[in-house]
């Protein structure tokens, strides 16, 4: 399949509904499930399906994304031929916000002209799923499809497979046709192309708001969802960090939670996701919450329905209670509690 399909990841999405969580990063770099970023899922799916050339199109605040992906070594994409490519999209075409906007591709058409692959898989960066794309080629050829739209439970998930030559035509002729993205074409009943749909089975969720992030994270604590997303046959790759195992003290307790490596747990964790290198103090209770990397929670705290971004410090004796529909979000690098006045 590596000779037949290249991967194109649109990382330009920046939804306002994510609030403070996107102040310092792109949506593609948003932490998820304790040790991953959102882009890890689509990128791992592509690599597991044999795709060896992947182009990422970011638009703004992509420093953390580039730091996370680096040369692509953790995904076996640091290679002399093909590999991982970054193509920042200039902020000039404000009218095009759809996934795979042709104006973004137009600035880097050389990549498509020089590619040797027959098809392009165009995807968003915010879908959490585990899928083998290999059978798609057979579907394209057997049904003589011009465009293949990937769906989950009959609903489109903003992923498309199209011949590279046809994609180049779409991009170069966008002003004449009026089509600005792949969605424009598949939603137009008057076009002359044969559009097929391919069902993505299994666990599949899209994260475009704080509520989406919280709900999906809590759903992941259910074994049936976790086992569909993470399996040994199609692993999800991420940036490797050499950290020690998490340390649990005698007074700590953990129930139905995901704890990443490098943490120190002295309190009680219930139905929560704790990221790498997090510190939780004695007599602290964390319930149904998400604590991101390197944050510190003091002693005698109570956190429930809370999303704490990276590098946050929570002082002793702090109580934070949100709701499942409106979780409290603490922005990156913030200090909460008595420490604020010290």
């Amino acid at each position: 399949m590596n000779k037949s399909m290249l991967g194109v990841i649109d990382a330009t999405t920046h939804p306002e509904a994510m609030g403070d969580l996107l102040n310092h990063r792109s949506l593609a770099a948003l932490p998820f499930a304790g040790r991953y970023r959102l882009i890890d899922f689509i990128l791992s799916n592509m690599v597991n399906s044999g795709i060896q050339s992947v182009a990422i199109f970011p638009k703004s605040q992509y420093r953390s994304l580039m730091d996370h992906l680096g040369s692509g070594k953790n995904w076996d994409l640091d290679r002399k031929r093909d590999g991982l490519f970054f193509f920042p999209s200039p902020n000039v075409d404000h009218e095009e916000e759809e996934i795979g906007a042709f104006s973004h591709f137009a600035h880097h058409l050389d990549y498509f002209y020089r590619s040797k692959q027959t098809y392009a898989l165009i995807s968003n960066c915010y879908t959490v799923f585990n899928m083998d794309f290999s059978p798609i080629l057979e579907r394209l050829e057997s049904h003589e499809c011009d465009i293949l739209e990937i769906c989950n439970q009959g609903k489109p998930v903003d992923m498309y497979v199209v011949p590279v030559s046809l994609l180049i035509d779409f991009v170069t002729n966008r002003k004449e046709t009026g089509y600005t993205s792949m969605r424009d074409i598949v939603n137009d009943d008057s076009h002359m192309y044969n559009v097929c749909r391919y069902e993505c089975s299994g666990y599949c969720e899209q994260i475009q708001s704080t509520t989406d992030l919280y709900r999906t994270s809590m759903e992941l604590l259910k074994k049936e969802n976790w086992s569909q997303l993470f399996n040994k046959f199609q692993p999800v790759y991420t940036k490797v960090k050499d950290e020690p195992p998490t340390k649990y003290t005698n007074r700590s307790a953990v129930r139905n939670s995901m704890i990443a490596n490098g943490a120190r747990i002295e309190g009680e964790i219930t139905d929560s996701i704790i990221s790498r290198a997090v510190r939780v103090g004695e007599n602290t209770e964390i319930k149904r919450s998400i604590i991101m990397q390197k944050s510190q929670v003091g002693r005698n705290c109570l956190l429930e329905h809370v999303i704490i971004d990276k590098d946050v410090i929570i002082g002793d004796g702090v109580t934070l209670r949100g709701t499942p529909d409106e979780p409290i979000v603490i922005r990156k690098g913030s200090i909460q509690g008595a420490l604020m006045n010290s």
Side-chain angles (χ1 to χ4, degrees), residues 68 92-93 115 124 194 206 224 244 268 276 310 340:
H68 176 68
V92 294
D93 295 296
S115 65
N124 63 73
N194 182 23
Q206 295 189 313
E224 59 270 24
E268 296 185 14
R276 292 165 164 162
K310 295 175 58 177
M340 295 177 64

Side-chain angles (χ1 to χ4, degrees), residues 87-338:
F87 296 125
S89 300
N91 296 308
V92 294
D93 295 296
H94 302 288
E95 75 279 3
E96 297 188 23
E97 300 296 336
E98 300 290 352
I99 295 299
F102 297 147
S103 63
H104 301 326
F105 298 156
H107 296 284
H108 304 283
L109 264 179
D110 282 351
Y111 170 73
F112 299 102
Y113 278 122
R114 294 166 60 182
S115 65
K116 297 180 180 180
Q117 289 79 4
T118 305
Y119 297 96
L121 167 60
I122 303 170
S123 172
N124 63 73
C125 64
Y126 49 76
T127 300
V128 176
F129 69 134
N130 195 319
M131 178 181 177
D132 181 6
F133 295 115
S134 300
I136 285 180
L137 291 180
E138 182 180 347
R139 175 68 180 276
L140 282 165
E141 295 171 356
S142 63
H143 289 72
E144 298 183 350
C145 304
D146 295 313
I147 301 170
L148 188 145
E149 182 180 34
I150 299 175
C151 302
N152 178 254
Q153 298 182 353
K155 181 180 178 181
V157 294
D158 293 322
M159 296 183 195
Y160 312 92
V161 182
V162 60
V164 174
S165 58
L166 185 57
L167 176 60
I168 292 174
D169 288 342
F170 290 153
V171 174
T172 55
N173 297 319
R174 66 190 186 282
K175 294 183 179 180
E176 289 76 12
T177 64
Y179 294 137
T180 62
S181 67
M182 293 302 302
R183 183 184 291 181
D184 278 356
I185 298 173
V186 298
N187 288 344
D188 182 9
D189 294 332
S190 64
H191 64 66
M192 60 181 179
Y193 305 105
N194 182 23
V195 178
C196 304
R197 286 170 175 79
Y198 188 91
E199 183 69 15
C200 166
S201 60
Y203 186 81
C204 181
E205 294 290 341
Q206 295 189 313
I207 297 178
Q208 299 186 74
S209 69
T210 302
T211 303
D212 290 342
L213 173 64
Y214 182 80
R215 174 185 52 79
T216 304
S217 297
M218 294 300 102
E219 287 179 352
L220 203 57
L221 296 174
K222 298 177 182 179
K223 183 178 179 180
E224 59 270 24
N225 294 331
W226 182 90
S227 60
Q228 290 184 57
L229 190 57
F230 301 102
N231 67 75
K232 62 181 179 180
F233 303 106
Q234 289 214 154
V236 180
Y237 304 102
T238 190
K239 182 179 181 179
V240 175
K241 294 188 177 181
D242 296 325
E243 292 177 317
T246 289
K247 182 175 182 179
Y248 303 90
T249 63
N250 293 335
R251 295 185 178 181
S252 66
V254 177
R255 305 176 186 88
N256 191 41
S257 298
M258 297 174 62
I259 313 290
N261 55 315
R264 180 182 175 88
I265 309 299
E266 300 180 17
E268 296 185 14
I269 313 295
T270 304
D271 299 325
S272 297
I273 296 178
I274 308 298
S275 297
R276 292 165 164 162
V278 167
R279 300 291 185 266
V280 178
E282 293 182 355
N283 299 318
T284 285
E285 293 184 59
I286 298 178
K287 302 177 180 179
R288 294 175 285 280
S289 296
I290 303 168
I291 315 297
M292 296 184 187
Q293 186 175 339
K294 294 183 179 180
S295 289
Q296 301 178 34
V297 183
R299 301 177 178 180
N300 305 308
C301 296
L302 175 60
L303 309 182
E304 188 170 11
H305 303 303
V306 175
I307 301 175
I308 294 180
D309 207 338
K310 295 175 58 177
D311 301 317
V312 169
I313 299 177
I314 306 293
D316 296 341
V318 173
T319 296
L320 297 172
R321 277 181 166 164
T323 67
D325 295 328
E326 294 186 9
I328 295 175
V329 178
I330 307 299
R331 68 172 60 186
K332 179 181 178 182
S334 298
I335 299 176
Q336 298 287 316

Side-chain angles (χ1 to χ4, degrees), residues 9 38-46 123-125 129 133:
I9 302 176
L38 288 186
I39 198 170
D40 290 342
F41 295 90
I42 178 59
L43 188 56
S44 296
N45 289 340
M46 288 180 173
S123 172
N124 63 73
C125 64
F129 69 134
F133 295 115

